[in-house]
């Protein structure tokens, strides 16, 4: 352990490890596959960075969050450690340079986004790297049971096979017991090996407020508590409405959702971080990777669809360890709305097939055709033409993506990608192109290299400037060339698109397996149910409820959530009642006692336990018989 401490001291200047960091490092240091569960802010990065630095070779870090990746690379470099990253959005040249540095340049860390693991270029280069450790951040994304399954994570298991003997350190800030099992299984751990840090947040008070009028309750809360706040809602339009409502009531607020332009998002995020705006009203697109320690309040206007998501979002309050609040606003109709999300997320299988069929009419595609074709997808137009609702179409397309029929991407921040599907000599033999198309092809070949062997990231704006065509013309020409199988164009940025990964099938042949449909639907229902139970319960400590969900069975009541602070019918606080009642019942079960004898055995003053005693006597759980108090028998 001594050399690890030295590394920690040398690069970070910290005196020692915190919590379970040491256990994790010892385990991974001895070559064992390890799973570490730590809440956000628990110090996960050190657990792979330190052992990797203590050894020869390179640490491969898989993480889906590009912003976090860049941030960590920057931090490592500032400590004099060689680190680089490979993610979607880089040009091919950049990727080659980064990967070659990892082979020849004595680099210690390669951060990579999971979808890049499958690329030929990575697989080829990886063979020449001396990998000493594979670290997997957000490891719950590998589990179908998790709330954030990402198919690209399954690539990690394959990469593992290509790197025999290299240990894996999987890390996550959220995992239920079944996901914990699943992660280890999917990553082929030879033995179970889990280190868990408590997810208890001692300074965070969880509150549920039942209300019919959410905006006014939100306003009331913000007026009663000082400090920076986030208000989450599911609806993009509502982020603006709520922010305006708060502003009109004298509370400075801004809003954020995935549909805004990137520069606006950055600007708003910054103004909230700097404290120019007190409240950020946002969809769940906001918050990942944002480290603002002094958030005092996180309010959920709409109920999230899993305790995992709730815990993560609520947990953005109070990172500085000072008292903070996580409030869920719950209206009577929310329970019904949550149930509806099940139908919206998992529409009937026949409906999914219908969407698949309508899509073929929309793109006028013949049977057996389509494989490898990319189309821009306008969901409003599609819904209008075929009389569908966008929410369900979106879900149906996601299910078809899972089932492997197509690839549907909605508004991800991807750069556009392109590759020629013809060889160079074949391309030169095509003559029926329009002048504009010719111009565009020339421009592509001049501006990018390697287009015949792998996808390159392209920029339509740049191509438009270079070629003199308008952006729309560039886009349309690329789509046309894609149709003609001259190249394969994957539009990026905010254009949703559909790629056919298989040729068009007979509708009745479209199969949604149990794994794709029923099993995922069941676990979705379980999560929705858990959220309804959380919001609806008035008897379980909120913190205990969440901790139990994540598999922590022996936590204590938090004494600060709304349930704990409620008065029990006996007159003492709910949080105190159970403990006192248990002690009384236990003592009197051993032997009947006079009130004076009981007083001697109790460590609490009479004034504290008397209301509980009276309550239990009224309830006939304790009886007074011949001057002695006794526990009533159960029969
Ligand atoms: P996570 O990834 O779990 O959210 P980080 O790895 O970002 O957490 O760590 C959170 C903060 O705690 C960072 O500022 C980090 O430098 C600090 N930290 C981690 N380990 C230690 C330690 N042993 N001693 C002091 N500070 C630490």
């Amino acid at each position: 352990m001594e050399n690890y401490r030295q590394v920690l001291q040398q690069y970070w200047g910290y005196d020692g490890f915190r919590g379970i960091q040491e256990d994790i490092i010892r385990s991974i240091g001895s070559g064992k596959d390890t799973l570490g569960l730590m809440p956000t802010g628990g110090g996960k990065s050190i657990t792979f960075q330190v052992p990797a630095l203590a050894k020869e070779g390179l640490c491969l870090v898989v993480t889906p969050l590009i912003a976090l990746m860049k941030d960590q690379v920057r931090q490592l470099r500032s400590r004099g450690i060689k680190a680089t990253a490979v993610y979607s959005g880089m040009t091919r040249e950049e990727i080659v340079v980064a990967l070659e540095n990892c082979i020849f340049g004595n680099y210690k860390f390669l951060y990579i986004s999971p979808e890049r693991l499958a690329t030929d270029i990575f697989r080829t280069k990886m063979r020449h790297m001396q990998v000493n450790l594979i670290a997997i951040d957000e490891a719950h994304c590998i589990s179908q049971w998790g709330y954030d399954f990402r198919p690209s994570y399954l690539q990690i298991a394959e990469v593992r096979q290509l790197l025999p003997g290299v240990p894996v350190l999987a890390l996550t800030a959220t995992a239920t017991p079944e996901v914990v099992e699943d992660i280890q299984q999917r990553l082929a751990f030879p033995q179970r090996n889990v280190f868990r840090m408590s997810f208890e947040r001692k300074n965070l008070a969880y509150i549920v407020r039942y209300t019919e009028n959410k905006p006014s309750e939100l306003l009331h809360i913000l007026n009663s508590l000082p400090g920076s706040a986030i208000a989450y809602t599911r609806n993009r339009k509502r982020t603006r409405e709520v922010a305006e409502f708060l502003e009109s009531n004298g509370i400075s607020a801004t809003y954020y959702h995935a549909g805004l332009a990137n520069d606006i998002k950055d600007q708003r995020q910054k103004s909230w971080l700097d404290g120019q705006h007190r409240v950020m009203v946002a969809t769940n697109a906001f918050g990942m990777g944002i480290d603002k320690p002094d958030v005092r309040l996180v309010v959920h206007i709409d109920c999230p669809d899993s305790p995992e998501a709730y815990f993560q979002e609520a947990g953005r309050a109070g990172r500085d360890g000072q008292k903070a609040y996580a409030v869920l606003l719950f209206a009577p109709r929310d329970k019904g709305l949550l149930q509806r999300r099940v139908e919206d997320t998992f529409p009937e299988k026949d409906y999914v097939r219908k969407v698949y069929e309508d899509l073929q009419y929309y793109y006028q595609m013949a049977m057996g055709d389509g494989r490898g074709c990319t189309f821009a997808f306008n969901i409003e137009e599609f819904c209008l033409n075929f009389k569908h609702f966008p929410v369900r179409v979106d879900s149906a397309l996601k299910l078809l993506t899972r089932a492997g029929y197509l690839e549907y991407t909605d508004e991800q921040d991807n750069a556009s990608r392109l590759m020629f599907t013809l060889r160079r000599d074949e391309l030169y033999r095509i003559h029926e192109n329009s002048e504009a198309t010719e111009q565009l092809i020339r421009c592509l070949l001049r501006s990018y290299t390697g287009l015949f062997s792998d996808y390159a990231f392209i920029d339509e704006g740049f191509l438009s400037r270079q070629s003199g065509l308008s952006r729309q013309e560039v886009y349309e020409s690329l789509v046309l060339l894609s149709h003609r199988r001259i190249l394969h164009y994957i539009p990026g940025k905010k254009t949703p698109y559909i790629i056919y990964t298989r040729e068009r099938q007979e509708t009745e042949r479209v199969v949604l397996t149990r794994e794709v449909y029923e099993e995922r639907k069941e676990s979705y229902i379980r999560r929705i149910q858990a959220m309804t139970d959380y919001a609806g319960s008035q008897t379980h400590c909120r913190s205990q409820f969440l901790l139990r969900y994540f598999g922590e069975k022996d936590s204590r009541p938090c004494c600060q959530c709304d349930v704990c602070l409620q008065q029990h019918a006996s007159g003492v606080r709910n949080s105190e009642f159970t403990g006192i009642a248990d002690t009384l019942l236990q003592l009197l079960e051993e032997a009947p006692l006079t009130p004076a004898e009981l007083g001697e055995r109790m460590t609490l003053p009479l004034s504290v336990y008397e209301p509980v005693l009276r309550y239990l006597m009224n309830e006939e759980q304790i009886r007074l018989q011949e001057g002695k108090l006794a526990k009533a028998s159960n029969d």
Side-chain angles (χ1 to χ4, degrees):
M1 225 39 225
E2 214 21 69
N3 57 336
Y4 295 128
R5 242 176 243 118
Q6 236 170 7
V7 171
L8 185 71
Q9 177 70 46
Q10 181 188 341
Y11 289 102
W12 281 268
Y14 298 153
D15 299 332
F17 293 106
R18 271 197 328 217
I20 59 166
Q21 282 177 333
E22 189 162 337
D23 298 332
I24 294 179
I25 290 173
R26 188 171 292 136
S27 166
I28 199 73
S30 67
K32 283 194 213 131
D33 291 345
T34 307
L35 170 58
L37 306 177
M38 286 170 126
T40 310
K44 281 188 286 295
S45 334
I46 297 267
T47 63
F48 62 84
Q49 289 169 344
V50 168
L53 282 168
K55 254 198 205 171
E56 279 278 295
L58 171 87
C59 174
L60 196 63
V61 189
V62 183
T63 170
L65 303 167
I66 296 177
L68 271 178
M69 201 185 265
K70 290 182 184 163
D71 196 45
Q72 292 218 351
V73 168
R74 196 176 40 74
Q75 284 188 21
L76 286 168
R77 287 185 181 168
S78 74
R79 297 180 202 286
I81 300 163
K82 286 186 170 181
T84 188
V86 166
Y87 47 87
S88 304
M90 290 166 70
T91 64
R92 189 182 154 83
E93 283 62 42
E94 286 176 295
I95 293 178
V96 170
V97 169
L99 294 176
E100 300 218 321
N101 276 333
C102 294
I103 302 172
F104 306 111
N106 229 349
Y107 270 55
K108 291 302 296 180
F109 294 93
L110 168 60
Y111 283 76
I112 185 159
S113 46
E115 71 280 358
R116 305 299 312 168
L117 293 172
T119 56
D120 285 343
I121 175 154
F122 172 70
R123 297 267 168 112
T124 315
K125 299 280 181 196
M126 187 186 73
R127 288 201 204 103
H128 306 287
M129 295 176 196
Q130 193 196 345
V131 179
N132 64 14
L133 171 65
I134 307 170
I136 303 161
D137 202 9
E138 312 287 342
H140 59 274
C141 295
I142 202 172
S143 173
Q144 293 253 20
W145 316 125
Y147 75 114
D148 192 17
F149 170 63
R150 296 173 191 235
S152 57
Y153 260 67
L154 297 173
Q155 301 288 344
I156 301 171
E158 282 178 34
V159 166
R160 263 217 95 165
Q161 286 177 351
L162 301 174
L163 295 170
V166 178
V168 163
L169 173 54
L171 296 163
T172 169
T174 159
T176 58
E178 66 177 348
V179 171
V180 167
E181 287 306 308
D182 202 27
I183 293 172
Q184 296 176 81
Q185 210 176 336
R186 300 222 168 236
L187 289 171
F189 277 33
Q191 284 148 353
R192 291 215 207 118
N193 189 22
V194 185
F195 294 89
R196 180 190 288 275
M197 181 170 152
S198 174
F199 281 43
E200 187 175 1
R201 293 287 311 274
K202 288 202 166 66
N203 61 320
L204 190 59
Y206 297 100
I207 314 278
V208 177
R209 282 267 169 273
Y210 302 97
T211 173
E212 292 276 10
N213 188 343
K214 293 185 176 185
S216 96
E217 183 66 28
L218 173 65
L219 186 62
H220 170 73
I221 296 168
L222 285 164
N223 278 326
S224 341
L225 286 172
S228 182
I230 310 176
Y232 280 112
T233 168
R234 287 175 64 86
N235 186 308
R236 289 182 181 180
K237 203 165 102 227
R238 194 115 79 106
T239 58
R240 197 188 78 222
E241 291 165 1
V242 173
E244 284 172 0
F245 169 76
L246 294 177
E247 283 277 336
S248 69
N249 281 280
I251 290 182
S252 74
T254 183
Y255 66 97
Y256 185 108
H257 57 72
L260 297 171
N262 284 343
D263 51 338
I264 296 195
K265 283 198 271 192
D266 290 348
Q267 196 184 321
R268 295 199 177 153
Q269 185 171 310
K270 189 164 179 311
S271 92
W272 177 77
L273 283 171
D274 296 346
Q276 289 166 37
H277 283 102
R278 177 179 164 209
V279 186
M280 175 62 92
V281 188
T283 61
N284 63 1
F286 178 77
M288 199 71 108
I290 286 175
D291 189 9
K292 183 167 169 61
D294 61 348
V295 179
R296 297 272 67 83
L297 171 70
V298 172
V299 180
H300 279 79
I301 301 170
D302 301 309
C303 194
D305 51 14
S306 68
E308 288 92 327
Y310 184 64
F311 182 79
Q312 192 136 74
E313 287 159 18
R316 297 191 176 124
R319 301 262 314 245
D320 57 5
Q322 306 293 317
K323 176 95 184 196
Y325 294 85
V327 184
L328 172 65
L329 302 181
F330 204 73
R333 66 192 203 102
D334 282 347
K335 204 169 159 194
L337 288 179
L338 277 170
Q339 293 308 329
R340 228 189 45 219
R341 279 195 220 155
V342 177
E343 291 141 46
D344 283 343
T345 313
F346 291 91
E348 296 290 326
K349 287 184 176 182
D350 278 343
Y351 178 84
V352 178
R353 290 192 192 102
K354 176 85 175 81
V355 169
Y356 182 76
E357 188 171 80
D358 289 347
L359 209 57
Q360 329 297 333
Y361 291 116
Y362 184 59
Y363 291 128
Q364 304 189 341
M365 187 184 294
M367 194 65 66
D369 215 353
R371 186 180 180 138
C373 289
T374 301
F375 303 98
F377 183 61
N378 181 335
I379 195 163
E380 283 83 24
E381 184 185 271
F382 178 77
C383 287
L384 210 64
N385 287 0
F386 295 93
K387 306 204 170 26
H388 288 302
F389 290 108
V391 174
R392 296 209 173 177
V393 167
D394 186 76
S395 301
L397 292 174
K398 284 183 176 146
L399 284 163
L400 288 165
T401 300
R402 285 279 147 87
Y405 292 97
L406 42 86
E407 197 180 296
Y408 164 60
T409 310
D410 57 337
E411 297 198 17
Q412 280 193 9
D413 248 0
N414 290 326
S416 295
R417 285 171 283 165
L418 181 151
M419 176 179 160
F420 280 103
T421 41
L422 297 183
R423 289 197 314 269
R424 191 182 283 269
D425 54 326
E426 289 170 331
L427 182 66
Y428 290 143
R429 269 186 255 128
I430 295 183
H431 294 295
E432 69 267 29
N433 290 328
S434 69
E435 180 46 37
T437 311
E438 283 296 335
Q439 172 70 358
L440 184 64
I441 291 178
R442 275 199 298 278
C443 203
L444 276 169
L445 294 176
R446 250 200 335 264
S447 313
Y448 304 95
T449 50
L451 288 177
F452 292 94
S453 52
D454 199 353
Y455 287 92
F457 295 95
I458 56 149
D459 177 349
E460 290 88 342
F462 174 77
L463 288 170
S464 146
R465 283 192 299 278
Q466 295 288 312
S467 62
L469 305 170
S470 73
R471 251 191 106 106
Q472 186 61 23
E473 282 170 327
V474 169
Y475 172 75
E476 281 168 9
S477 304
L478 290 175
V479 169
L480 191 75
L481 286 167
S482 218
H483 276 302
R484 291 176 58 203
R485 309 271 173 91
I486 290 175
L487 50 76
H488 187 195
Y489 167 53
I490 307 172
K493 285 274 155 27
K494 299 208 181 309
T495 324
Y497 58 84
I498 286 174
I499 305 170
Y500 277 81
T501 41
R502 282 163 73 167
E503 53 285 332
R504 174 181 166 187
Q505 307 283 308
E506 298 274 5
T507 306
E508 56 275 16
R509 286 243 184 112
V510 169
V511 182
L512 300 168
T513 59
R514 267 196 69 77
E515 212 187 13
V516 166
Y517 193 89
E518 281 86 357
E519 293 181 5
R520 290 186 49 241
K521 181 171 177 179
E522 283 156 23
S523 58
Y524 187 72
I525 290 174
R526 278 200 297 276
R527 291 196 293 272
I528 290 272
Q529 188 56 46
M531 227 30 241
T532 317
D533 292 348
Y534 174 83
S537 168
Q538 296 182 38
T539 49
H540 286 90
C541 163
R542 307 273 178 217
S543 163
Q544 269 184 317
F545 185 103
L546 290 172
L547 294 176
R548 201 168 300 142
Y549 182 84
F550 292 117
E552 282 181 46
K553 302 252 184 296
D554 51 358
S555 60
R556 303 197 52 75
C558 72
C559 300
Q560 56 180 348
C561 70
D562 60 309
V563 174
C564 282
L565 293 183
Q566 247 169 37
Q567 294 266 308
H568 185 262
S570 65
V572 301
R573 280 181 175 173
N574 243 344
S575 54
E576 293 162 356
F577 176 84
T578 322
I580 301 174
D582 284 352
T583 316
L584 287 170
L585 292 169
Q586 217 169 353
L587 281 173
L588 296 177
E589 187 169 30
E590 286 164 17
L593 300 169
T594 64
E597 286 167 339
L598 179 66
E600 281 167 26
R601 303 274 185 98
M602 289 295 284
T603 47
L604 294 166
L606 178 66
S607 60
V608 175
Y609 72 80
E610 194 182 14
V612 180
L613 182 60
R614 282 193 190 288
Y615 176 87
L616 293 173
M617 288 173 76
N618 273 342
E619 293 285 301
E620 298 190 352
Q621 293 190 50
I622 291 177
R623 293 204 179 117
L624 189 62
Q625 289 168 332
E626 298 159 13
K628 287 194 172 189
L629 295 161
K631 182 171 183 274
S633 55
N634 287 334
D635 41 55

XYZ file of all heavy atoms in Angstrom, residues 396-440:
377
model
N -41.412 3.356 -29.756
C -41.411 2.240 -30.708
C -40.073 2.175 -31.445
O -39.495 1.104 -31.631
C -42.558 2.406 -31.705
N -39.555 3.340 -31.846
C -38.281 3.356 -32.575
C -37.136 2.906 -31.680
O -36.208 2.226 -32.125
C -38.016 4.756 -33.136
C -38.976 5.188 -34.256
C -38.719 6.637 -34.648
C -38.832 4.281 -35.475
N -37.230 3.255 -30.402
C -36.177 2.804 -29.484
C -36.236 1.289 -29.312
O -35.205 0.622 -29.225
C -36.315 3.514 -28.138
C -35.808 4.950 -28.230
C -35.843 5.695 -26.933
C -35.225 7.074 -27.141
N -35.852 8.107 -26.333
N -37.454 0.751 -29.268
C -37.582 -0.710 -29.154
C -37.051 -1.399 -30.418
O -36.364 -2.408 -30.340
C -39.043 -1.094 -28.912
C -39.533 -0.842 -27.481
C -41.052 -0.853 -27.415
C -38.953 -1.890 -26.521
N -37.352 -0.818 -31.577
C -36.849 -1.397 -32.830
C -35.324 -1.311 -32.896
O -34.657 -2.169 -33.468
C -37.488 -0.690 -34.033
C -38.971 -1.015 -34.252
C -39.614 -0.006 -35.203
C -39.144 -2.436 -34.798
N -34.781 -0.264 -32.276
C -33.325 -0.131 -32.211
C -32.745 -1.255 -31.356
O -31.785 -1.921 -31.736
C -32.944 1.242 -31.611
O -33.475 2.263 -32.449
C -31.445 1.411 -31.511
N -33.351 -1.461 -30.191
C -32.896 -2.540 -29.299
C -32.973 -3.895 -29.986
O -32.149 -4.770 -29.774
C -33.791 -2.614 -28.054
C -33.566 -1.551 -27.050
C -32.366 -1.891 -26.181
N -31.683 -0.678 -25.784
C -31.994 0.044 -24.719
N -32.942 -0.362 -23.926
N -31.340 1.141 -24.438
N -34.047 -4.058 -30.791
C -34.256 -5.354 -31.425
C -33.361 -5.527 -32.653
O -33.348 -6.584 -33.272
C -35.723 -5.501 -31.812
N -32.630 -4.475 -33.030
C -31.639 -4.627 -34.095
C -32.142 -4.378 -35.507
O -31.468 -4.712 -36.469
N -33.346 -3.780 -35.652
C -33.852 -3.533 -37.005
C -33.351 -2.222 -37.576
O -33.210 -2.062 -38.772
C -35.383 -3.561 -37.030
C -35.897 -4.945 -36.775
C -36.296 -5.330 -35.504
C -35.919 -5.883 -37.797
C -36.722 -6.626 -35.254
C -36.333 -7.175 -37.559
C -36.736 -7.538 -36.288
O -37.129 -8.815 -36.052
N -33.180 -1.282 -36.696
C -32.688 -0.001 -37.165
C -31.946 0.702 -36.047
O -31.862 0.192 -34.924
C -33.833 0.869 -37.695
C -35.154 0.918 -36.919
C -35.097 1.968 -35.844
C -36.276 1.237 -37.894
N -31.391 1.843 -36.384
C -30.709 2.624 -35.376
C -31.344 3.993 -35.399
O -31.382 4.639 -36.439
C -29.230 2.717 -35.743
C -28.352 3.140 -34.603
C -26.907 3.198 -35.051
O -26.352 2.137 -35.408
O -26.359 4.307 -35.091
N -31.898 4.372 -34.267
C -32.613 5.647 -34.213
C -31.913 6.535 -33.207
O -31.685 6.122 -32.075
C -34.053 5.373 -33.794
C -34.834 6.575 -33.329
C -35.032 7.666 -34.178
C -35.383 6.621 -32.062
C -35.754 8.761 -33.756
C -36.111 7.712 -31.627
C -36.301 8.780 -32.478
O -37.018 9.855 -32.050
N -31.549 7.706 -33.633
C -30.876 8.609 -32.716
C -31.632 9.907 -32.671
O -31.869 10.521 -33.700
C -29.438 8.894 -33.186
O -28.842 7.645 -33.449
C -28.650 9.604 -32.127
N -32.052 10.280 -31.492
C -32.794 11.528 -31.393
C -31.919 12.592 -30.764
O -31.491 12.478 -29.638
C -34.078 11.336 -30.583
C -33.804 10.806 -29.204
O -32.736 10.189 -29.020
O -34.626 11.015 -28.303
N -31.628 13.570 -31.530
C -30.984 14.766 -31.013
C -29.786 14.538 -30.134
O -29.623 15.162 -29.111
C -32.014 15.568 -30.210
C -33.125 16.021 -31.097
C -33.890 17.146 -30.477
O -33.364 17.747 -29.538
O -34.988 17.418 -30.932
N -28.974 13.585 -30.491
C -27.750 13.477 -29.722
C -26.740 14.449 -30.280
O -26.797 14.796 -31.435
C -27.207 12.073 -29.790
C -27.946 11.198 -28.817
C -27.241 9.897 -28.622
O -26.126 9.724 -29.079
N -27.905 8.991 -27.949
N -25.843 14.806 -29.419
C -24.847 15.760 -29.858
C -23.729 15.072 -30.626
O -22.581 15.121 -30.247
C -24.286 16.487 -28.645
C -24.725 17.933 -28.676
O -25.433 18.295 -29.626
O -24.338 18.680 -27.765
N -24.083 14.416 -31.693
C -23.066 13.722 -32.475
C -22.609 14.605 -33.624
O -23.417 15.283 -34.224
C -23.645 12.466 -33.105
C -23.933 11.418 -32.071
O -23.213 11.324 -31.091
N -24.976 10.661 -32.292
N -21.343 14.513 -33.933
C -20.900 15.155 -35.159
C -21.343 14.261 -36.316
O -21.514 13.065 -36.146
C -19.391 15.288 -35.153
N -21.523 14.849 -37.483
C -21.892 14.042 -38.645
C -20.720 13.147 -39.028
O -19.566 13.516 -38.843
C -22.213 14.942 -39.827
O -23.334 15.704 -39.537
N -21.061 11.984 -39.569
C -20.006 11.055 -39.961
C -20.230 10.617 -41.406
O -21.379 10.571 -41.853
C -20.025 9.830 -39.066
C -19.464 10.107 -37.704
C -19.707 8.943 -36.785
N -21.085 8.916 -36.328
C -21.637 7.864 -35.761
N -20.971 6.755 -35.625
N -22.884 7.925 -35.337
N -19.166 10.267 -42.034
C -19.298 9.907 -43.442
C -18.171 8.976 -43.869
O -17.046 9.084 -43.386
C -19.236 11.213 -44.241
C -19.363 11.188 -45.745
C -19.971 12.495 -46.200
C -18.042 10.971 -46.430
N -18.511 8.043 -44.760
C -17.487 7.167 -45.336
C -17.928 6.788 -46.747
O -19.124 6.598 -46.978
C -17.380 5.916 -44.474
C -16.441 4.876 -44.989
S -16.421 3.484 -43.838
C -15.780 2.237 -44.911
N -16.981 6.683 -47.663
C -17.354 6.231 -48.998
C -17.563 4.727 -48.992
O -16.799 3.996 -48.357
C -16.272 6.603 -50.025
C -16.362 8.029 -50.453
C -15.488 8.978 -49.965
C -17.362 8.422 -51.336
C -15.600 10.306 -50.343
C -17.472 9.756 -51.723
C -16.603 10.694 -51.224
N -18.624 4.285 -49.684
C -18.853 2.847 -49.746
C -18.291 2.274 -51.052
O -18.223 1.078 -51.225
C -20.358 2.535 -49.622
O -21.089 3.493 -50.376
C -20.808 2.626 -48.186
N -17.909 3.164 -51.953
C -17.241 2.719 -53.189
C -15.735 2.867 -53.024
O -15.274 3.654 -52.206
C -17.657 3.613 -54.368
C -19.122 3.620 -54.775
C -19.289 4.517 -55.996
C -19.581 2.217 -55.081
N -14.989 2.129 -53.811
C -13.533 2.341 -53.804
C -13.228 3.608 -54.597
O -14.040 4.062 -55.395
C -12.822 1.152 -54.454
C -12.864 -0.118 -53.618
C -11.803 -1.102 -54.129
N -11.806 -1.222 -55.587
C -12.525 -2.127 -56.249
N -13.306 -2.959 -55.590
N -12.467 -2.178 -57.564
N -12.043 4.106 -54.397
C -11.674 5.359 -55.057
C -11.805 5.250 -56.583
O -12.387 6.111 -57.232
C -10.242 5.736 -54.672
C -9.845 7.141 -55.079
C -8.399 7.414 -54.702
N -8.229 7.675 -53.279
C -8.277 8.893 -52.740
N -8.523 9.931 -53.483
N -8.093 9.055 -51.462
N -11.299 4.150 -57.161
C -11.344 4.021 -58.626
C -12.794 3.908 -59.113
O -13.150 4.433 -60.162
C -10.505 2.825 -59.104
C -10.902 1.550 -58.403
O -11.267 1.631 -57.216
O -10.871 0.479 -59.035
N -13.653 3.273 -58.304
C -15.061 3.172 -58.691
C -15.710 4.561 -58.683
O -16.499 4.898 -59.550
C -15.832 2.269 -57.721
C -15.472 0.799 -57.846
C -16.067 -0.038 -56.723
O -16.260 0.493 -55.608
O -16.327 -1.217 -56.973
N -15.331 5.315 -57.689
C -15.905 6.656 -57.561
C -15.581 7.506 -58.791
O -16.429 8.225 -59.312
C -15.350 7.327 -56.295
C -15.872 8.714 -55.992
C -17.352 8.670 -55.649
C -15.101 9.340 -54.841
N -14.331 7.376 -59.272
C -13.934 8.195 -60.406
C -14.656 7.801 -61.682
O -14.701 8.537 -62.639
C -12.407 8.129 -60.603
C -11.665 8.837 -59.500
C -10.467 8.349 -59.001
C -12.188 10.013 -58.936
C -9.795 8.994 -57.974
C -11.522 10.660 -57.905
C -10.335 10.150 -57.428
O -9.697 10.792 -56.416
N -15.221 6.589 -61.679
C -15.906 6.137 -62.891
C -17.361 6.594 -62.964
O -18.034 6.374 -63.946
C -15.820 4.610 -63.001
C -14.597 4.185 -63.792
C -14.569 2.696 -64.025
N -13.590 2.067 -63.150
C -13.833 1.041 -62.363
N -15.037 0.524 -62.311
N -12.872 0.538 -61.629
N -17.859 7.200 -61.913
C -19.256 7.656 -61.927
C -19.333 9.044 -62.546
O -18.622 9.949 -62.124
C -19.827 7.706 -60.503
C -19.867 6.289 -59.961
C -21.216 8.341 -60.480
C -20.460 6.166 -58.609
N -20.192 9.163 -63.556
C -20.210 10.453 -64.249
C -21.541 11.171 -64.216
O -21.614 12.328 -64.578
C -19.755 10.281 -65.705
C -18.332 9.870 -65.784
N -17.301 10.683 -65.360
C -17.751 8.716 -66.187
C -16.145 10.057 -65.509
N -16.393 8.847 -65.999
N -22.599 10.455 -63.744
C -23.905 11.110 -63.876
C -24.214 12.066 -62.725
O -25.357 12.389 -62.483
C -25.034 10.078 -64.061
C -25.340 9.226 -62.859
C -24.552 7.918 -62.888
O -23.435 7.891 -63.464
O -25.051 6.951 -62.348
N -23.196 12.498 -62.003
C -23.441 13.445 -60.908
C -23.719 14.852 -61.421
O -23.187 15.258 -62.456
C -22.212 13.528 -60.007
C -22.041 12.247 -59.213
O -23.024 11.594 -58.871
N -20.801 11.895 -58.957
N -24.513 15.567 -60.674
C -24.742 16.975 -61.011
C -23.482 17.769 -60.675
O -22.600 17.277 -59.957
C -25.909 17.515 -60.188
O -25.511 17.594 -58.839
N -23.414 18.977 -61.154
C -22.238 19.816 -60.906
C -22.050 20.035 -59.395
O -20.945 19.942 -58.858
C -22.387 21.143 -61.667
C -21.221 22.110 -61.495
C -19.844 21.451 -61.649
O -19.651 20.538 -62.507
O -18.951 21.847 -60.870
N -23.183 20.271 -58.714
C -23.123 20.524 -57.268
C -22.559 19.309 -56.536
O -21.692 19.432 -55.665
C -24.513 20.857 -56.732
N -23.016 18.133 -56.951
C -22.555 16.911 -56.297
C -21.068 16.686 -56.548
O -20.319 16.321 -55.648
C -23.375 15.703 -56.821
O -24.744 16.059 -56.746
C -23.136 14.470 -55.987
N -20.663 16.915 -57.771
C -19.246 16.785 -58.113
C -18.389 17.707 -57.243
O -17.365 17.314 -56.700
C -19.016 17.167 -59.597
C -19.421 16.107 -60.596
C -18.576 14.842 -60.461
O -17.427 14.930 -59.979
O -19.074 13.757 -60.823
N -18.887 18.921 -57.129
C -18.190 19.930 -56.346
C -18.041 19.464 -54.888
O -16.983 19.559 -54.277
C -19.010 21.238 -56.439
C -18.569 22.355 -55.554
C -17.238 22.932 -56.020
O -16.639 22.460 -56.998
N -16.751 23.928 -55.286
N -19.134 18.905 -54.388
C -19.143 18.456 -53.003
C -18.169 17.287 -52.799
O -17.407 17.255 -51.828
C -20.565 18.034 -52.613
C -20.754 17.637 -51.156
C -20.494 18.821 -50.233
C -22.162 17.108 -50.928
